[in-house]
Amino acid sequence: MNIILKRILGASLALAAFSFIPYAKAQTCVTPPTCESLGYTLTETDCEGHNFLKCPFDTSVDYCDSGSGSFGFYDNPPIGAFLYSDMNCSISLDKSKTVIGIIFDTEHRLAIALNSKSASWSSQLFDIPELPNIEIASDTDRGKEVISDWSGKSNTKIIIDYCRANGYSCPAAEYAYSYTTEGTKAGDWYLPAAGELEAMSVNISVLNSSLSLIEGSTRLYNSYWSSNEMSTDYAWDMTYDSRYGSFWGYVPYKRDTHPVRPVIQF
């Protein structure tokens, strides 16, 4: 009987230990974008004679160019506009040019890559001293802290430099850092930070609408690796749940495989 009790107790303790692996993280509620907030405030009549893009949420309202320049190229494109290899942007798809990304943030001038892949954050377990650890907390304050980080480009460089100097494999950052297109080179693209992923995720419908027009592109997932680290064993994977308008932070093992989507500042 004592042996049986010990086995039961041992199994219970193992299950309890497993349940406290820091995987789930508090959610942060976000406000989904509206057509107006994205700049879609006009009608086809207003845009007559100019290029225009319909809002995915309400096709009765449009975003149109000012009529200056050729084919609707301009300096302040809306979310969902096309980024070309010459770093010009347009709301209209010009098939004579090479599209390399879709714009997801106008303030910081950021665009997502047309494709993604699944990879682990790292193949080994280690902590990067120069990369700030954003740790698990019991309330949503830590969730707010992680999504306030927009330092994906510098985070990625820190990860790449550390891994290369120490002989480690960091597939997620390596894929994003090495991603190239016509008109871009290695180091131009990077693994986004949590705040950048939030901006991307809340506009997922707009971005997927534009991606659907590009042959060979892949639609956005709801979940992606970020360039944020939690500890030696865990890194941040950010997930957007469109059903509830919530943005979730998870901290899976770094060796787990999750989607990676490079972004670029133009």
Side-chain angles (χ1 to χ4, degrees):
M1 181 65 69
N2 288 337
I3 293 176
I4 295 175
L5 287 174
K6 287 180 179 179
R7 288 179 177 175
I8 294 174
L9 179 59
S12 299
L13 289 173
L15 180 61
F18 177 80
S19 67
F20 282 98
I21 290 176
Y23 184 81
K25 183 63 182 66
Q27 71 181 67
T28 299
C29 292
V30 294
T31 302
T34 63
C35 291
E36 183 178 7
S37 68
L38 296 176
Y40 295 86
T41 58
L42 303 174
T43 66
E44 285 189 33
T45 301
D46 297 322
C47 297
E48 186 175 359
H50 304 303
N51 298 301
F52 62 90
L53 187 69
K54 290 187 174 296
C55 179
F57 310 130
D58 181 358
T59 57
S60 67
V61 290
D62 307 316
Y63 187 107
C64 59
D65 63 37
S66 62
S68 61
S70 62
F71 208 77
F73 296 118
Y74 42 86
D75 294 330
N76 298 300
I79 292 168
F82 304 102
L83 176 66
Y84 296 94
S85 58
D86 60 5
M87 294 301 156
N88 279 319
C89 308
S90 174
I91 58 175
S92 302
L93 180 58
D94 185 349
K95 293 186 178 181
S96 69
K97 300 171 69 70
T98 301
V99 179
I100 63 169
I102 307 297
I103 296 165
F104 73 91
D105 183 84
T106 55
E107 179 183 354
H108 300 90
R109 300 182 67 79
L110 299 173
I112 59 167
L114 301 181
N115 300 104
S116 62
K117 69 175 290 184
S118 292
S120 61
W121 203 89
S122 64
S123 300
Q124 303 96 342
L125 298 178
F126 53 85
D127 182 71
I128 301 176
E130 295 81 6
L131 194 66
N133 285 352
I134 302 178
E135 300 177 349
I136 281 288
S138 58
D139 52 36
T140 58
D141 289 341
R142 190 66 66 178
K144 293 176 181 177
E145 179 181 336
V146 72
I147 64 172
S148 68
D149 186 12
W150 284 69
S151 305
K153 192 172 181 66
S154 60
N155 289 349
T156 302
K157 189 64 166 59
I158 289 171
I159 296 169
I160 292 296
D161 289 347
Y162 183 83
C163 290
R164 290 181 177 177
N166 293 277
Y168 292 133
S169 174
C170 301
E174 288 165 0
Y175 169 67
Y177 188 82
S178 301
Y179 187 87
T180 59
T181 66
E182 181 180 322
T184 68
K185 62 184 184 303
D188 289 340
W189 298 82
Y190 61 89
L191 184 64
E196 294 163 316
L197 282 175
E198 182 195 22
M200 181 179 79
S201 296
V202 297
N203 294 303
I204 191 169
S205 296
V206 180
L207 301 175
N208 278 334
S209 178
S210 295
L211 284 168
S212 68
L213 301 176
I214 310 299
E215 184 177 355
S217 66
T218 55
R219 291 173 61 84
L220 288 168
Y221 295 105
N222 288 333
S223 177
Y224 285 98
W225 273 127
S226 78
S227 56
N228 296 108
E229 187 179 44
M230 195 206 79
S231 66
T232 297
D233 296 339
Y234 305 99
W236 286 88
D237 178 270
M238 311 306 293
T239 298
Y240 178 65
D241 191 334
S242 58
R243 297 171 301 172
Y244 305 107
S246 299
F247 192 66
W248 295 82
Y250 292 98
V251 279
Y253 278 112
K254 292 176 176 177
R255 290 182 292 195
D256 289 350
T257 299
H258 292 273
V260 180
R261 177 77 69 156
V263 304
I264 191 171
Q265 186 172 40
F266 60 94

